[in-house]
Amino acid sequence: MARVPTEIARLITRAALSKKAKDVTVLDLREHSEITDFFVICSGDSEVQVRAIADSVLETLRERGSAEWHVEGYVHGRWVLIDYVEVVTHIFLEEAREYYGLEDLWGDAPSERVEDAGT
């Protein structure tokens, strides 16, 4: 079942927050990139938590009929990228997130910090 990118991003944030992801941020790239519409970026405290967040995102979206196009970094658990084409999820260990600074690279894009699993 096809889903609109905003709905996919919302489902991803809920799935991430259900596993206690930190600093969940949605970057709206629609006016800034032809690559994707949204980035959902979040952090975990350990490699185990990063993989648990990734598992929750994958399971939640699959249950709702949206299969991922590509997954990278799952084995190492430092930076897991899950690509749904219109929405790309980045799940980082804190230090990896700081190092790569995606929010800074896309600093001119509108962003929203999500803190409530009900959103």
Side-chain angles (χ1 to χ4, degrees):
M1 169 191 293
R3 299 210 177 263
V4 295
T6 53
E7 184 179 352
I8 293 170
R10 183 180 49 78
L11 289 169
I12 291 168
T13 61
R14 284 176 146 173
L17 288 166
S18 76
K19 296 299 179 186
K20 309 294 186 210
K22 292 183 173 181
D23 300 324
V24 180
T25 303
V26 179
L27 298 181
D28 183 343
L29 302 175
R30 291 176 289 189
E31 299 294 323
H32 301 276
S33 174
E34 295 180 13
I35 298 169
T36 191
D37 291 341
F38 295 95
F39 278 173
V40 177
I41 304 169
C42 63
S43 303
D45 290 327
S46 67
E47 293 171 7
V48 171
Q49 185 185 17
V50 166
R51 284 192 291 273
I53 295 165
D55 288 341
S56 180
V57 168
L58 290 164
E59 181 180 323
T60 298
L61 274 284
R62 286 175 186 162
E63 286 174 354
R64 287 161 179 80
S66 296
E68 69 282 359
W69 182 67
H70 183 72
V71 177
E72 286 186 34
Y74 183 88
V75 172
H76 299 292
R78 294 185 45 76
W79 176 4
V80 177
L81 180 145
I82 306 172
D83 189 345
Y84 290 97
V85 182
E86 294 92 353
V87 182
V88 178
T89 306
H90 300 272
I91 308 164
F92 287 101
L93 280 178
E94 289 283 340
E95 60 270 11
R97 184 175 182 171
E98 289 175 21
Y99 179 80
Y100 290 104
L102 291 185
E103 288 100 333
D104 294 333
L105 289 173
W106 295 95
D108 55 341
S111 66
E112 176 186 0
R113 184 130 177 223
V114 183
E115 297 181 21
D116 180 5
T119 59

